[in-house]
Amino acid sequence: MSQNGSNSKARVVAALMRLGIRELNELNGFSDHHEDHEPSELMPHGAPLAIRSPIDGSKLCDVGTASSMGTLNIMERAGWAFDSWRMTPAPQRGEFVRRLGLKLREFKTELAELITWEVGKIPQEALGEVQEMIDICDFAVGLSRQLHGLTIASERARHRLMEQWHPLGPVLVITAFNFPMAVWAWNAALAWVCGNPVIWKPSEKTPLCAIGVHSIVKGLLREMDSVPEGIAFLVLCDREVAHQVSWSSVKLISATGSTRMGYEIAQSAGLTRTLLELGGNNGMIVAPSADLELAVRAIVFGAVGTCGQRCTTLRRLFVHESRYLELRDRLLAAYRNLPIGDPTKPGVLVGPLIDGQAFDSMQRALEAARSEGGTVHFGERITTGVPAGGYYVRPALVEMPVRLLKEDYYGALIDFAPGDGYVDTSKMGDSIMDEETFAPILHMTRYQELERAIALHNDVSQGLSSAILTNDLREAELFCSAAGSDCGLVNVNCGTSGAEIGGAFGGEKETGGGRESGSDAWKNYMRRVTSTINWSGELPLAQGIQFEL
Ligand code: UN1
């Protein structure tokens, strides 16, 4: 072992102790499934999950997982809790969330330690993630006194037309490894003030973070008698079990993860409401007037933060040809000097990839870029000065040739296609730049005209986050306009990642269309009722219909 693998384990055990978890075998008790049958071929238990750290690959222990029967049992209990929680006044529901926010403040350091150990984030980013949880609790508390509907002018005399928002029912929250706490909190804090129980299925890669948060929630539930215990469940289960279960009594499935996972969920959800936050392949345009000092900071944080494993990570950079070489050289210098290694070490800015699979897909993507004529700078594995057993890489900067728009490509194909209009779909003109590879790879290319750069920027299937760096008002406004970026998040003079919780978070196209956290995202967790109240003593019909008996 080259460096302090065992030390990082000691730190996580100490953090668990402070959270009240004294023995590792207690970790098994946090998944809320009750199994009232022996495992069988028909109803197998999922394989245990290993709790391990990407810092050095070390394992803390295994935890048991639920069968599909166990998850059904949780849904039933969530349904019971819903009956009373939906009738609890919203500000009282907000009180639960307010007290949760206080606990998260109290245990901020411990929770951040768990994130650092289990995901490999540097402490600054781990603390930032816990802060997102605190922020969304504050937001939700205020919201608990503002869940409001409209009144609408009725066409009928002495009638009132109004909207009310009612609790929806149990919400299933599926979270990804890269934000193992914050994304749950975005959903849970809102779902709770809106009157819904929450069932949390965390990523199989991050059960410990979920257990840490759930231990705090459970402690709070014990302190607050008035709150039904069944508003918060944690279910550790593997992918197969999650897909086997019919989540029919769940009223909303809110899921974060890959586009592939989103398709699977959408298919099994049927008409159940879904809120999907899927792939991002985020781009930035650097215009001639951009401040390059600011650009380098925004680009590097966006591209290498969380080791390139955020949904909002910057993956595609379009630089005006007049600034291209200058910016490229500054980025190369910054990348060359990045402090990479054990994230618990002071000064480190880039921790490990989550696992060997992530490393392999990164290398495959770099190979694909090379075969498309890209020049790959860095991207190699680092093995010296870092803990053995972890996958550490120097983030890659890839200079890509200027590309055709897909429609131009297809147009050209059709022009040259044989008389029967046959187009060879095996040469679709797709590039590795069109795919989201969950690793620190920044593709860089040059442009001449802004409209063309925007078209290329939008020419991918994902639509989460985007940015333009410019001091030209017209360029900035164009990028934010209907003819500009087609993403859910559109930024000017800041990077693609690091969104605040106050705005709605999510994106278009294969990103799934969902909006979480701020603004009016709360409406996802409620059902809308339109009511007409007739206080006239007569029965005028809408649309002026006469229907005399
Ligand atoms: C994610 O990667 O799924 O905007 C969430 C950001 C963070 C959230 C990212 N506030 O980068």
Side-chain angles (χ1 to χ4, degrees):
M1 179 140 318
S2 59
Q3 285 195 5
N4 60 355
S6 52
N7 179 22
S8 72
K9 202 165 178 174
R11 288 170 72 136
V12 79
V13 169
L16 286 173
M17 289 275 271
R18 293 195 296 276
L19 285 167
I21 300 170
R22 291 176 191 287
E23 304 281 340
L24 288 185
N25 59 19
E26 285 176 41
L27 295 175
N28 252 315
F30 279 98
S31 184
D32 290 300
H33 60 280
H34 295 163
E35 305 284 356
D36 48 14
H37 70 292
E38 292 298 311
S40 66
E41 225 169 274
L42 200 64
M43 207 66 77
H45 283 234
L49 292 181
I51 299 185
R52 57 170 83 246
S53 173
I55 296 177
D56 55 8
S58 64
K59 184 165 132 177
L60 201 60
C61 60
D62 286 326
V63 281
T65 58
S67 71
S68 46
M69 209 52 169
T71 51
L72 286 174
N73 165 273
I74 287 180
M75 275 191 285
E76 191 179 17
R77 287 187 283 155
W80 297 333
F82 180 54
D83 288 346
S84 60
W85 192 234
R86 67 183 171 183
M87 292 304 285
T88 305
Q92 281 179 36
R93 301 193 297 243
E95 175 60 10
F96 173 71
V97 175
R98 188 184 72 81
R99 302 242 325 240
L100 177 63
L102 295 178
K103 293 250 183 229
L104 296 175
R105 284 174 169 86
E106 191 183 336
F107 292 106
K108 185 172 176 181
T109 328
E110 287 74 12
L111 293 171
E113 289 266 9
L114 300 191
I115 297 173
T116 293
W117 188 81
E118 200 176 34
V119 184
K121 288 191 192 189
I122 59 171
Q124 274 303 305
E125 291 196 66
L127 287 165
E129 173 158 8
V130 183
Q131 187 59 44
E132 277 202 47
M133 293 206 282
I134 295 168
D135 293 343
I136 195 73
C137 285
D138 288 357
F139 179 92
V141 174
L143 188 66
S144 71
R145 291 184 183 270
Q146 298 179 67
L147 301 170
H148 62 277
L150 299 171
T151 57
I152 298 147
S154 169
E155 66 186 59
R156 287 167 282 182
R158 296 174 184 244
H159 278 58
R160 182 153 65 90
L161 201 51
M162 65 168 187
E163 285 184 349
Q164 287 188 88
W165 291 86
H166 289 318
L168 186 66
V171 175
L172 172 66
V173 181
I174 300 175
T175 53
F177 80 85
N178 64 331
F179 272 79
M181 295 185 187
V183 174
W184 165 82
W186 295 352
N187 284 279
L190 297 192
W192 280 329
V193 297
C194 291
N196 309 306
V198 177
I199 302 168
W200 182 8
K201 190 235 166 273
S203 160
E204 289 128 271
K205 294 178 183 174
T206 52
L208 187 66
C209 286
I211 289 172
V213 171
H214 197 52
S215 74
I216 291 176
V217 173
K218 283 202 140 173
L220 184 59
L221 285 168
R222 280 193 294 274
E223 286 172 25
M224 294 182 77
D225 287 343
S226 56
V227 177
E229 202 193 357
I231 63 160
F233 290 106
L234 173 65
V235 57
L236 300 179
C237 64
D238 64 23
R239 218 185 143 78
E240 274 67 50
V241 168
H243 285 267
Q244 251 174 37
V245 176
S246 144
W247 297 98
S248 51
S249 52
V250 158
K251 296 296 179 242
L252 170 70
I253 302 176
S254 173
T256 305
S258 66
T259 300
R260 187 173 58 91
M261 179 206 74
Y263 274 111
E264 285 169 17
I265 288 176
Q267 213 164 30
S268 64
L271 294 182
T272 301
R273 199 185 286 184
T274 54
L275 199 178
L276 299 175
E277 200 249 286
L278 309 172
N281 189 4
N282 314 294
M284 176 193 280
I285 293 175
V286 181
S289 64
D291 172 342
L292 287 200
E293 197 63 43
L294 180 150
V296 171
R297 292 189 53 211
I299 292 166
V300 177
F301 177 69
V304 315
T306 323
C307 199
Q309 299 168 111
R310 290 193 188 212
C311 298
T312 50
T313 292
L314 179 63
R315 307 193 186 281
R316 298 178 301 132
L317 190 61
F318 302 88
V319 187
H320 190 265
E321 59 178 3
S322 62
R323 312 299 300 275
Y324 183 89
L325 288 178
E326 187 188 354
L327 181 60
R328 183 203 60 185
D329 290 347
R330 285 207 198 188
L331 287 174
L332 286 173
Y335 269 55
R336 200 169 287 120
N337 294 320
L338 279 173
I340 300 161
D342 182 340
T344 62
K345 267 180 42 184
V348 164
L349 291 180
V350 183
L353 286 167
I354 190 71
D355 54 23
Q357 257 180 337
F359 175 74
D360 292 344
S361 61
M362 176 175 180
Q363 298 311 309
R364 274 198 304 275
L366 294 178
E367 209 33 64
R370 279 189 198 99
S371 69
E372 285 178 38
T375 306
V376 176
H377 304 278
F378 317 119
E380 72 283 2
R381 185 164 181 193
I382 295 179
T383 48
T384 50
V386 298
Y391 286 87
Y392 294 85
V393 289
R394 182 159 302 276
L397 189 64
V398 183
E399 294 185 78
M400 292 296 277
V402 177
R403 299 190 49 214
L404 279 181
L405 280 170
K406 287 195 189 66
E407 66 179 34
D408 294 348
Y409 187 87
Y410 297 142
L413 274 183
I414 289 165
D415 286 347
F416 295 114
D420 61 0
Y422 170 79
V423 173
D424 180 359
T425 47
S426 69
K427 299 199 182 81
M428 294 290 267
D430 292 341
S431 158
I432 191 67
M433 260 180 102
D434 299 340
E435 284 173 33
E436 179 190 43
T437 303
F438 229 54
I441 302 176
L442 178 60
H443 300 99
M444 186 175 182
T445 183
R446 51 185 97 204
Y447 78 88
Q448 290 175 333
E449 286 161 19
L450 182 59
E451 283 76 5
R452 180 84 181 169
I454 292 175
L456 279 166
H457 170 275
N458 291 346
D459 202 26
V460 290
S461 60
Q462 313 84 352
L464 180 58
S465 186
S466 59
I468 188 167
L469 303 190
T470 179
N471 282 321
D472 181 324
L473 178 72
R474 288 184 182 150
E475 288 183 337
E477 288 291 343
L478 174 64
F479 192 68
C480 296
S481 77
S485 161
D486 62 1
C487 291
L489 305 168
V490 182
N491 299 330
V492 176
N493 289 335
C494 53
T496 52
S497 65
E500 303 175 19
I501 61 96
F505 183 95
E508 300 304 325
K509 303 190 285 184
E510 285 194 348
T511 300
R515 291 297 185 279
E516 294 176 302
S517 90
S519 185
D520 63 353
W522 60 270
K523 291 179 178 170
N524 287 301
Y525 307 86
M526 304 205 86
R527 63 183 174 88
R528 184 200 310 240
V529 173
T530 304
S531 298
T532 307
I533 320 267
N534 172 10
W535 55 283
S536 69
E538 291 166 31
L539 195 70
L541 298 178
Q543 296 87 44
I545 291 173
Q546 299 297 320
F547 194 83
E548 300 305 331
L549 292 179

